[in-house]
Amino acid sequence: MITVTALPAFTDNYLWLLERDGHAAIVDPGDASVVSKALASRGLVLDAILITHHHPDHIGGLVALAAETGAVVYGPRAEHAKIKGLTVLLDDGDEVSLAGLGIRLNVIAVPGHTLGHIAYFEAVQRLLFCGDTLFIGGCGRLFEGTPAQMQHSLSRLADLPGDTAVYCAHEYTLSNYDFIATVEPDNDSVATEFSRLQSLRAAGLATVPGTIAGERARNPFLRSKEPELAIAMTAQTGQAMTDSVEVFAALRRLKDGHVPRIR
């Protein structure tokens, strides 16, 4: 069994450290110094660097860490021109085998936030490292992709086993739930979970990871095909909505303009 540890970075990033028997891998090392300190304090050898997409807060420490440790750098082939230092280029359906950690990771293409974004799924312990595609209670902004692309990407993640742990790259959960509460103010499940999550943050604890089952139950971006969301978005926008992609797009536009009352 591998251990997964959150390494907080910047304002709200999580860099995910995977370790077993002295070997380690890091997901999206935006800050090399944070990772180097963790490796030294734990006496770990970094075997692999796993990249989900090209944004600076996910790749900023890649080159320095690779030079320091000799780690193999895995990342999306579709974004190799934007990511300096990739040594293994990955496509949808590929498998990453990390012998030192004794795990295999399945590569899932999830375009939307960026066009070449990928996620990594470990099927034995059921661990998902999804970068900025899926958040607890939300999803990434559509900087490069379309609503249809992101909806499809999220549907692929939603099809994973319900007990899959969702390791996203940011602590955005309270602002996401603040948004959900405005979209579905009468959803008791959302209200109950929002209260629990606020208690976690008040205690200085992370809300990540969540689970795929939890996201299927409460995340509106995974539920955009449900009639309840069409009704909610019709009420929010004043425009009759039946097409699920239209519902998804409207949700994303509202979220982009939402000013959270709580973070």
Side-chain angles (χ1 to χ4, degrees):
M1 299 286 284
I2 64 168
T3 300
V4 182
T5 303
L7 304 182
F10 308 122
T11 303
D12 49 36
N13 283 69
Y14 290 133
L15 319 182
W16 296 108
L17 181 69
L18 290 61
E19 62 178 285
R20 179 182 180 181
D21 297 334
H23 292 268
I26 189 72
V27 182
D28 287 347
D31 187 331
S33 64
V34 170
V35 181
S36 295
K37 289 175 183 177
L39 295 173
S41 67
R42 291 168 166 81
L44 298 173
V45 174
L46 188 67
D47 295 344
I49 297 169
L50 305 167
I51 301 297
T52 63
H53 67 292
H54 67 80
H55 285 161
D57 60 321
H58 294 254
I59 66 170
L62 184 167
V63 172
L65 274 177
E68 176 186 334
T69 64
V72 179
V73 185
Y74 300 85
R77 182 186 303 275
E79 297 189 355
H80 77 278
K82 298 180 179 180
I83 306 173
K84 181 180 179 181
L86 294 182
T87 50
V88 179
L89 304 182
L90 301 172
D91 297 300
D92 184 47
D94 284 347
E95 182 179 85
V96 175
S97 179
L98 302 180
L101 282 81
I103 60 170
R104 295 181 177 182
L105 300 159
N106 299 319
V107 177
I108 306 171
V110 284
H113 182 65
T114 67
L115 289 177
H117 202 304
I118 60 174
Y120 300 88
F121 174 60
E122 198 283 317
V124 177
Q125 287 184 233
R126 295 182 177 173
L127 313 173
L128 173 67
F129 301 95
C130 52
D132 287 355
T133 295
L134 173 63
F135 294 125
I136 309 305
C139 74
R141 287 178 180 262
L142 304 183
F143 288 117
E144 298 176 11
T146 67
Q149 283 178 314
M150 183 63 106
Q151 185 190 54
H152 178 68
S153 294
L154 291 173
S155 73
R156 296 190 70 186
L157 300 183
D159 285 341
L160 295 173
D163 60 351
T164 298
V166 177
Y167 290 94
C168 55
H170 291 274
E171 183 60 73
Y172 287 166
T173 309
L174 292 191
S175 61
N176 287 339
Y177 266 78
D178 183 77
F179 171 69
I180 302 173
T182 68
V183 172
E184 296 187 282
D186 299 322
N187 188 322
D188 292 338
S189 175
V190 168
T192 299
E193 182 67 0
F194 194 8
S195 179
R196 185 187 75 84
L197 294 165
Q198 287 177 269
S199 296
L200 284 177
R201 293 304 290 155
L205 300 175
T207 63
V208 186
T211 66
I212 287 293
E215 296 313 295
R216 287 198 299 242
R218 290 178 291 271
N219 188 325
F221 295 99
L222 268 62
R223 298 171 48 230
S224 59
K225 297 180 181 180
E226 296 180 7
E228 292 82 359
L229 264 296
I231 293 169
M233 294 312 297
T234 295
Q236 287 282 330
T237 64
Q239 299 176 347
M241 293 190 182
T242 56
D243 179 76
S244 68
V245 175
E246 184 181 22
V247 170
F248 185 95
L251 271 168
R252 189 62 255 180
R253 286 194 299 271
L254 282 180
K255 180 62 171 68
D256 289 346
H258 180 69
V259 178
R261 297 160 296 178
I262 187 169
R263 296 180 183 273

